[in-house]
Amino acid sequence: EVTRGRRPHHDITKRDDGRPEAGDGAGAISIAHAGDLTLTVTDEVAVGCDVEPVAPRSQEAWADLLGPERFELAALIARERVEPLDVAATRVWAALECVKKAGLMRDVPLLVGTPRHREAIVLDAGPAVIATWAKDVRGTDAAHVFAVLVTSR
């Protein structure tokens, strides 16, 4: 569910560690915000989501943010998709945020998976799959990357 300027319809509480919890028995929940955009994902299994504006950064800045292996993954995606490095690196950054929100180990290997949709980049992350999309959002200054992680059942 993507909302703009309004809250998701779930009754959401926060645990002591700050993670959201769906009070309506929806199971696992993840929420991401970027400006007035809100992305919410719920499922019966662990989930994670993120939405990030694409920001221009130097290759050195991206390498510092992502680390060497994740930066190489972003460079590979940029080459294969013929898309700007800023978009590909934002995909990887958003995927890492999903990993953290789903409670997976931060160093889980990320591998380019098989896309199930021509506009998505799919990353395999151990027991999880992360789909990422880069989209222009009307009324904003930048393209945004949306990422959703689901674990296998």
Side-chain angles (χ1 to χ4, degrees):
E1 173 178 356
V2 178
T3 61
R4 188 176 176 127
R6 61 185 169 95
R7 293 180 47 121
H9 65 272
H10 300 286
D11 180 24
I12 300 168
T13 59
K14 286 192 177 186
R15 299 185 332 196
D16 290 340
D17 64 2
R19 288 190 181 186
E21 215 170 46
D24 60 2
I29 186 168
S30 181
I31 301 171
H33 303 281
D36 65 349
L37 294 176
T38 300
L39 175 63
T40 306
V41 177
T42 60
D43 201 340
E44 296 172 0
V45 295
V47 293
C49 70
D50 195 35
V51 57
E52 296 285 340
V54 176
R57 291 185 169 89
S58 68
Q59 287 189 9
E60 294 78 20
W62 279 119
D64 286 344
L65 279 171
L66 298 174
E69 289 180 12
R70 310 299 193 182
F71 177 75
E72 284 302 316
L73 176 61
L76 172 71
I77 292 169
R79 283 192 308 272
E80 287 186 355
R81 287 297 289 242
V82 190
E83 71 181 12
L85 178 63
D86 291 326
V87 174
T90 304
R91 288 180 191 271
V92 174
W93 180 262
L96 291 171
E97 288 297 307
C98 289
V99 164
K100 182 169 70 173
K101 289 179 177 183
L104 299 179
M105 298 297 292
R106 177 116 171 119
D107 62 351
V108 65
L110 293 180
L111 305 169
V112 177
T114 305
R116 291 167 180 83
H117 188 277
R118 64 182 171 82
E119 293 183 17
I121 294 287
V122 175
L123 300 172
D124 294 325
V129 174
I130 307 164
T132 67
W133 297 267
K135 293 288 186 187
D136 289 328
V137 177
R138 196 174 333 144
T140 65
D141 295 337
H144 284 69
V145 168
F146 297 84
V148 175
L149 174 150
V150 294
T151 54
S152 56
R153 296 181 189 263

